[in-house]
């Protein structure tokens, strides 16, 4: 009879422990987490390019269909800091896997949407479930990389997140034309399943703090203040500033946010520690990124309508013409991750801001004059400027927070980015309306350039220490 103690342990826990002993384990975690991030960002560009077609298919307006992109951004803003904090307290592996399990089911459900409302709701729920895994993924990566190697890891992270939509364009554009837009969500659900299976085998658990209570009042107040702010901006532009809903949200937002700050100062275990809110290295990079993101995402969502109205292109062609932006973003993010520790965060971030501002001027001139190569060049340079700053911003914020608060740092960064993106999309698409005027598109691109100059002003006050250990 064979002694059971002589048999090798083939359990999942034993396999995970064996993987942790491998010298390339950090790289394995990075690859798996990046595949998960790619699964979430895969449909963004091709979906943006297909918005006019989807609007016609569902019998809705261009202004309404933009909520397919904007609504998930609002949900990200509310959910990611809370999910990040939950990971800090209870372990990031658990949050990561839970998010992907829900995201898998909801991605498939989105393919069954029967009208524009169900499409917006289902996609928002699916993308939110996947997005809550983002802060945990970043925290798991940073927890196993020494600080001197983090900028490069974050550069690779940002590059893959940008390349994923580009792959979506190449594969998803023709798929949508041949099969229909619903196929895009079936493909996304399948990639989420693969990412989930790989993550179960690979991703590590981080230190949990089960004795620390979660800050429910702070979470409720932050969510109420943020949601009210975003509804005020969106509905104010679309329904008028004297709308009862807008007036109520306009009153609720500052009250809730001021109360949030007061609660955080008093509770023993705040959602966001007041010490972080006083650190310039924590606040300024996030604020600068949020302002730039408003111009970047507003211009990106506007681009497919511009290409359709000014040049009459179909979704597949529009998607291909939008490829230079994410490709340039990915390449520059990798370079930015290398330059951050060499040149300092402030220099890297300001360089990216001015690059983006110049790009928006180029794109606007191309749109006005119907010079397609100039417009595409401007879009590509805009991607390069935005991608270049991403690793430096993320590294600055997470270093300021410290290893015990990596989740809330990543979640807070995501929250402000998504607020900026939602504001930019709402403002620029509202001002765009149904216009086909080249001058209107030039002015909107100049507004996007102005956001970069404001962001550069914020970035100029950042610390510029070279962070190598």
């Amino acid at each position: 009879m064979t002694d059971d103690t002589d048999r090798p342990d083939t359990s999942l826990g034993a396999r995970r422990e064996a993987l942790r002993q491998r010298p390339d384990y950090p790289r394995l975690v990075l690859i798996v987490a990046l595949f998960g991030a790619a699964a979430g960002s895969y449909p963004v560009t091709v979906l943006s390019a297909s918005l006019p077609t989807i609007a016609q298919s569902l019998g809705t307006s261009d202004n309404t269909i933009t909520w397919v992109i904007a609504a998930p951004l609002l949900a990200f803003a509310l959910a990611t800091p809370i999910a990040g904090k939950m990971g800090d307290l209870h372990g990031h592996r658990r949050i990561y896997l839970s998010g992907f399990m829900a995201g898998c089911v909801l991605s498939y459900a989105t393919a069954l949407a029967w009208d524009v409302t169900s499409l917006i709701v289902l996609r928002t729920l699916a993308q939110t479930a996947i997005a809550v895994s983002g802060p945990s993924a970043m925290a798991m990566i940073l927890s196993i990389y020494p600080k001197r190697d983090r900028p490069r890891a974050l550069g690779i992270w940002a590059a893959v997140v940008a390349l994923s939509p580009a792959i979506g364009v190449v594969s998803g554009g023709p798929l949508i034309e041949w099969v229909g837009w619903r196929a895009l969500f079936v493909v996304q659900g399948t990639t989420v399943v693969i990412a989930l299976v790989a993550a179960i085998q690979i991703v590590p658990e981080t230190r949990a703090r089960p004795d620390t209570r979660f800050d429910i009042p702070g979470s409720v107040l932050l969510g109420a203040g943020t949601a009210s702010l975003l509804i005020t901006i969106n509905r104010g532009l679309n329904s008028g500033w004297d709308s009862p809903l807008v007036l109520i949200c306009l009153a609720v937002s500052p009250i809730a946010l001021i109360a949030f700050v007061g609660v955080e100062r008093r509770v023993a275990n705040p959602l966001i520690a007041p010490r972080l809110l006083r650190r310039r290295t924590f606040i300024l990079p996030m604020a600068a990124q949020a302002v730039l993101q408003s111009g970047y995402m507003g211009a990106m969502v506007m681009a497919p309508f511009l290409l359709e109205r000014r040049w009459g292109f179909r979704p597949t062609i529009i998607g291909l013409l939008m490829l230079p932006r994410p490709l340039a973003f990915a390449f520059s993010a990798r370079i930015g991750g290398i330059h951050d520790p060499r040149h300092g965060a402030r220099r890297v971030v300001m360089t990216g801001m001015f690059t983006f501002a110049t790009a928006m001027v180029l794109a606007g001139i191309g749109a006005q004059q119907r010079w397609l190569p100039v417009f595409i060049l401007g879009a590509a340079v805009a991607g390069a400027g935005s991608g270049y700053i991403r690793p430096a911003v993320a590294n600055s914020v997470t270093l300021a927070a410290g290893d015990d608060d990596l989740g809330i740092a990543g979640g807070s960064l995501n929250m402000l980015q998504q607020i900026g993106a939602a504001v930019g999309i709402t403002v620029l698409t509202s001002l765009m309306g149904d216009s086909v005027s080249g001058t209107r598109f030039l002015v909107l691109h100049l507004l996007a350039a102005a956001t970069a100059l404001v962001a550069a002003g914020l970035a100029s006050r950042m610390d510029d220490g070279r962070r190598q250990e």
Side-chain angles (χ1 to χ4, degrees):
M1 186 172 180
T2 305
D3 188 346
D4 287 343
T5 59
D6 294 333
R7 295 176 181 173
D9 188 349
T10 58
S11 66
L12 176 61
R15 291 197 301 271
R16 285 177 52 208
E17 185 58 35
L19 286 170
R20 288 182 66 89
Q21 304 307 314
R22 292 175 50 166
D24 62 343
Y25 179 66
R27 184 173 294 275
L28 287 175
V29 173
L30 179 62
I31 291 171
V32 169
L34 288 178
F35 188 83
S41 59
Y42 164 81
V44 172
T45 301
V46 69
L47 185 61
S48 297
S50 303
L51 289 181
T53 299
I54 298 173
Q56 293 175 7
S57 170
L58 296 177
T60 188
S61 66
D62 289 346
N63 188 52
T64 300
I65 201 65
T66 59
W67 277 95
V68 173
I69 302 294
L73 299 181
L74 305 185
F76 293 176
L78 301 179
T80 51
I82 295 172
K85 187 66 174 184
M86 291 289 287
D88 287 336
L89 297 182
H90 303 294
H92 287 288
R93 174 184 166 87
R94 180 182 303 177
I95 301 299
Y96 184 87
L97 296 180
S98 298
F100 267 84
M101 288 178 186
C104 167
V105 175
L106 290 165
S107 293
Y108 285 127
T110 305
L112 304 176
W114 54 92
D115 57 19
V116 68
T117 301
S118 61
L119 176 62
I120 292 170
V121 170
L122 288 170
R123 182 172 188 271
T124 298
L125 292 174
Q127 290 298 105
T128 302
I130 297 171
V132 299
S133 302
S136 289
M138 182 181 291
M140 290 187 296
I141 291 171
L142 296 181
S143 70
I144 60 174
Y145 273 90
K147 291 182 179 179
R148 66 177 179 273
D149 295 331
R150 289 180 180 179
R152 295 194 181 211
L154 289 170
I156 296 171
W157 169 278
V160 169
V161 170
L163 277 175
S164 172
I167 296 171
V169 169
V170 174
S171 61
L175 187 66
I176 286 176
E177 293 234 349
W178 297 335
V179 181
W181 56 267
R182 299 176 188 276
L184 185 65
F185 300 108
V186 175
V187 173
Q188 184 184 26
T190 303
T191 59
V192 172
V193 170
I194 297 171
L196 176 61
V197 171
I200 290 172
Q201 305 289 325
I202 301 292
V203 297
E205 187 55 276
T206 56
R207 185 174 70 88
R209 289 177 277 170
D211 55 329
T212 302
R213 296 183 61 185
F214 183 73
D215 179 16
I216 295 177
S219 300
V220 171
L221 288 170
L222 180 62
T226 303
S228 298
L229 173 64
L230 293 170
I231 292 171
T232 298
I233 294 169
N234 181 270
R235 292 294 90 197
L237 287 167
N238 289 285
S239 303
W241 297 101
D242 57 350
S243 162
L245 176 62
V246 171
L247 293 175
I248 291 171
C249 290
L250 188 61
V252 169
S253 179
I255 293 173
L257 293 175
I258 291 170
F260 167 73
V261 174
V263 166
E264 298 305 275
R265 289 174 176 170
R266 292 195 303 271
V267 298
N269 301 294
L271 182 69
I272 304 177
R275 62 180 174 80
L276 295 181
L277 299 177
R278 292 191 294 267
R279 289 184 182 174
R280 287 172 46 172
T281 50
F282 184 76
I283 291 297
L284 285 176
M286 291 195 298
Q289 175 67 61
V291 173
L292 182 75
Q293 192 77 347
S294 67
Y296 180 79
M297 286 300 297
M300 191 187 86
V301 172
M302 185 172 60
F305 297 101
L306 188 160
L307 289 167
E308 182 195 46
R309 296 174 188 177
R310 297 290 288 164
W311 284 279
F313 292 127
R314 302 189 318 274
T316 297
I317 302 300
I318 292 173
L320 291 173
L321 290 173
M322 291 177 68
L323 267 178
R325 188 192 305 256
L327 292 176
F329 186 110
F331 176 79
S332 294
R334 186 76 177 89
I335 300 300
I338 296 171
H339 286 181
D340 176 28
R342 292 181 183 176
H343 305 305
R346 184 174 62 201
R347 181 176 174 184
V348 167
V349 172
M350 291 191 67
T351 299
M353 302 292 188
F354 288 125
T355 299
F356 179 84
T358 303
M360 286 293 95
V361 175
L362 275 176
I365 293 172
Q368 183 192 40
Q369 300 296 323
R370 292 187 67 185
W371 294 341
L372 184 61
V374 175
F375 174 75
I376 299 303
L377 175 63
V381 176
S386 185
Y388 185 64
I389 73 171
R390 196 61 62 88
V393 169
N395 196 41
S396 179
V397 171
T398 53
L399 280 175
D403 286 356
D404 284 342
D405 290 309
L406 290 175
I408 190 61
S412 299
L413 177 59
N414 283 338
M415 177 184 71
L416 288 182
Q417 283 182 173
Q418 305 309 338
I419 290 174
V423 170
I425 291 171
T426 299
V427 172
L428 290 187
T429 55
S430 295
L431 294 176
M432 175 184 69
D434 297 324
S435 177
V436 297
S437 166
T439 300
R440 173 75 64 88
F441 283 114
L442 170 62
V443 171
L444 294 178
H445 280 87
L446 292 179
L447 285 176
T451 66
L453 298 180
V454 174
L458 293 170
S460 67
R461 300 171 57 200
M462 290 172 55
D463 291 338
D464 202 20
R466 294 180 176 87
R467 302 175 299 275
Q468 282 237 37
E469 292 188 7

